[in-house]
Amino acid sequence: MALRNIVEKGERCLEKRCRSVVNFDERLHTLLDDMGDTLIESGGVGLAAPQVGILRRAVLVLETNVPEGEHEYVIELINPEIIETAGEQKGPEGCLSVPGVFGLVTRPDYVKVRAQDRFGQFFEVEGTGLTARCFCHEIDHLEGRLFVDIAEKILSNEELNSFYAEGDEE
Ligand code: CO
C-alpha cells in the first residue's frame, strides 16, 4: 500500500489541462494502485491524477450505488469522455483538494462515460446520482477546473446540514 500526497487548491497542477495517457505500462498501474489506496484512505468518492501532482488523464470514481450487501468498488477511467447525459441534480459538492468547503453545484443526474481501462481497452460505463456527479467532478479536474469555479454558491455549515437533513437532493 502506497499513499500519495493530495495537493490542495492553490497548487498550479490543479489548474492545468492534463495530457492523454499514451503508455498503459507498469508506471501507470503503479499510479492507479497508489491512487486507489489514497482514495480509500481519504474516505472520498473520487480522485483525479492531478490531485496527486500527475498531469495525465486518469481518474478514479467510487461506485456507491450498489445493491445492499454488495461492496462499493473503484472504477478506473483513463482518457475519459462524457458521451451522454440526462436529467439534472442540484446539491452539495466537495473535493479532497478543497478540504472543509462545500458548494452548491448543478450536474446531470445520469452520465455515460467512454474511457480506457489500465490496459488501454475501451469501455463504457454509466452512473446516476452521486456517481454521475463524481464522473463530472473528476473529469473537470482533468481540465483544471475545480467545483468552486462553477459552484452557484459556497454553502455555510447550516445550509450544508439542512441538505443532509432533507435526505436526497432535490
Ligand atoms: Co475533486
Side-chain angles (χ1 to χ4, degrees), residues 51 94-96 137-138 141:
Q51 291 182 276
C95 179
L96 294 170
H137 176 110
E138 300 311 326
H141 270 299

Side-chain angles (χ1 to χ4, degrees), residues 2 9 21 23 30-31 37 53-54 66-67 69-70 75 86 111 119 122-123 135 139 152 156 164:
K9 183 173 159 37
V21 170
N23 296 316
T30 302
L31 169 67
D37 291 341
I54 306 293
V66 293
E70 287 184 26
I75 306 169
V111 172
F119 304 104
F122 282 95
F123 69 101
F135 283 153
I139 292 170
E152 250 166 70
S156 68
Y164 291 126

Side-chain angles (χ1 to χ4, degrees), residues 9-166:
K9 183 173 159 37
E11 295 278 347
R12 296 296 303 279
C13 60
L14 292 175
E15 298 164 8
K16 300 213 161 117
R17 184 168 196 276
C18 297
R19 287 177 298 164
S20 296
V21 170
V22 287
N23 296 316
F24 295 82
D25 55 9
E26 203 156 313
R27 204 155 161 226
L28 174 69
H29 296 178
T30 302
L31 169 67
L32 293 168
D33 290 343
D34 290 356
M35 284 174 63
D37 291 341
T38 306
L39 174 62
I40 298 306
E41 176 78 9
S42 72
V45 287
L47 187 67
Q51 291 182 276
V52 295
I54 306 293
L55 292 173
R56 289 288 177 178
R57 303 185 79 80
V59 308
L60 304 184
V61 169
L62 187 68
E63 175 54 277
T64 53
N65 298 324
V66 293
E68 218 183 301
E70 287 184 26
H71 287 290
E72 298 177 343
Y73 56 93
V74 172
I75 306 169
E76 296 178 347
L77 302 165
I78 317 302
N79 301 325
E81 278 182 66
I82 293 173
I83 55 172
E84 204 181 315
T85 65
E88 194 179 278
Q89 56 175 320
K90 185 186 277 207
E93 192 166 314
C95 179
L96 294 170
S97 293
V98 196
V101 178
F102 291 87
L104 190 60
V105 182
T106 302
R107 300 285 194 185
D109 196 45
Y110 163 87
V111 172
K112 187 193 273 188
V113 175
R114 177 174 154 83
Q116 286 165 280
D117 67 15
R118 59 165 62 202
F119 304 104
Q121 207 68 31
F122 282 95
F123 69 101
E124 291 180 1
V125 60
E126 300 169 306
T128 58
L130 178 62
T131 306
R133 176 180 291 284
C134 205
F135 283 153
C136 297
H137 176 110
E138 300 311 326
I139 292 170
D140 272 356
H141 270 299
L142 304 181
E143 299 300 322
R145 197 156 50 228
L146 296 177
F147 81 95
V148 286
D149 301 331
I150 58 166
E152 250 166 70
K153 63 183 293 200
I154 299 302
L155 298 169
S156 68
N157 276 337
E158 281 167 5
E159 288 169 323
L160 186 61
N161 288 339
S162 73
F163 259 105
Y164 291 126
E166 282 163 23

